[in-house]
Amino acid sequence: MKNNSYQRSVTLNSTNEVVGTAYERLNVFKRYLNLGMVNDSLAAENAKLKSKLLSLTTVDTAKDVKVIDTLTNQDYTYLAAKVIKNSITLRNNIMTINKGSIDGIKAGMAVIAPQKGVVGFIRDVSEHLATIQSLLHKDTKISVTLKKNNALGSLVWGDGNFDIKKAFIKEVPNHIKMYVGDTIVTSGFASFPKGILVGRISKPNVATNDNFLSGELNLFTDFSTLQYVYVVKYKKAEEQKALEGIVKPNE
């Protein structure tokens, strides 16, 4: 009887150990799955937050609106500003906003539209105001890509067409084919976050004399009704500028 009791005790303890190990592994697996769900949830919430920000039709600039992208190491912060002056009929168009150096605005910062689309770059800054070199300017050039395949190109405006609703993508490798309706977004190089909507191709695959292709696109930004903008603060801008300044052109 004692031997039987001992054997039952050993068997029970062994069974409990096996079951306990199995439950422990199951819990680890569940935690792993939950971690994935949490990450997916954070990504969805982040996208939702950014979408909500960029879909605002009115912005309260009395209180700074800042959205930090926690999924990209908080590289970008969006600062709301009101457009107090805007030109759209010139060859080189400039606009003025009601935020300046006191708000952390610096020359070279990217500017995007509240709904969707690119606006330009910060040009000159005073304490309380700043000017924007609009996309509708001969010297504005923005790195963009075709959303479908990440093929690089350069966004410019006014190349023989001064329509404020149209622009051109240039320097696209000639083996890349563009089609009507293809979406153009920012590449993520320089000051603009990656994936900001720019426009859709309306006239694709115009051959140039330098083995590249060009295309005309319809812009998402409506410059004629622009009342508010978001200035994009890129936290690593100064670090990147200093690092790239070490390398000399054609070195």
Side-chain angles (χ1 to χ4, degrees):
M1 291 292 292
K2 289 183 179 180
N3 287 338
N4 289 339
S5 298
Y6 174 75
Q7 289 173 353
R8 283 197 301 271
S9 176
V10 171
T11 302
L12 183 60
N13 288 336
S14 299
T15 302
N16 287 340
E17 183 177 350
V18 172
V19 172
T21 301
Y23 273 118
E24 183 179 354
R25 290 178 178 175
L26 181 60
N27 286 332
V28 169
F29 183 64
K30 283 183 177 179
R31 286 197 297 271
Y32 175 78
L33 292 179
N34 287 336
L35 180 61
M37 291 173 64
V38 168
N39 286 338
D40 290 344
S41 178
L42 286 174
E45 183 62 25
N46 183 74
K48 181 180 178 181
L49 186 60
K50 290 174 73 174
S51 297
K52 184 176 181 180
L53 168 69
L54 298 178
S55 66
L56 293 176
T57 55
T58 60
V59 179
D60 181 8
T61 56
K63 181 179 180 181
D64 291 350
V65 179
K66 297 182 181 180
V67 173
I68 299 175
D69 187 346
T70 56
L71 294 183
T72 55
N73 296 321
Q74 300 184 356
D75 283 345
Y76 298 102
T77 302
Y78 299 88
L79 177 64
K82 181 177 176 60
V83 177
I84 59 177
K85 185 178 180 180
N86 185 18
S87 67
I88 59 174
T89 60
L90 306 176
R91 177 63 180 92
N92 298 314
N93 293 284
I94 303 292
M95 60 184 69
T96 305
I97 57 175
N98 69 339
K99 294 293 174 71
S101 60
I102 197 171
D103 305 292
I105 303 295
K106 296 180 180 179
M109 287 181 171
V111 185
I112 60 179
Q115 287 75 36
K116 55 184 175 181
V118 297
V119 174
F121 294 96
I122 296 294
R123 180 167 174 159
D124 299 304
V125 184
S126 66
E127 188 174 6
H128 300 289
L129 302 171
T131 57
I132 299 169
Q133 180 176 301
S134 169
L135 169 61
L136 311 181
H137 191 291
K138 70 179 180 64
D139 294 330
T140 301
K141 191 174 184 180
I142 298 171
S143 178
V144 294
T145 66
L146 272 75
K147 185 178 181 181
K148 65 181 181 182
N149 57 18
N150 291 320
L152 282 170
S154 295
L155 181 72
V156 297
W157 176 80
D159 189 2
N161 182 350
F162 298 98
D163 188 335
I164 66 171
K165 296 181 180 179
K166 297 183 181 295
F168 298 89
I169 180 172
K170 292 184 169 278
E171 301 171 0
V172 178
N174 60 11
H175 67 279
I176 301 294
K177 296 303 179 185
M178 295 178 283
Y179 297 93
V180 173
D182 280 352
T183 301
I184 305 300
V185 299
T186 53
S187 67
F189 297 155
S191 301
F192 283 96
K194 181 180 177 64
I196 298 295
L197 292 169
V198 174
R200 287 196 175 94
I201 295 292
S202 56
K203 294 181 182 178
N205 307 321
V206 178
T208 62
N209 296 324
D210 53 5
N211 295 320
F212 289 95
L213 293 176
S214 176
E216 185 181 86
L217 60 143
N218 295 323
L219 293 169
F220 286 127
T221 302
D222 185 351
F223 286 88
S224 65
T225 61
L226 203 58
Q227 298 183 51
Y228 298 94
V229 296
Y230 286 105
V231 181
V232 182
K233 294 182 178 180
Y234 178 40
K235 287 190 174 182
K236 296 179 182 177
E238 295 298 324
E239 179 183 351
Q240 180 176 338
K241 184 177 180 180
L243 180 63
E244 292 173 349
I246 297 174
V247 181
K248 297 178 180 180
N250 303 320
E251 189 174 55

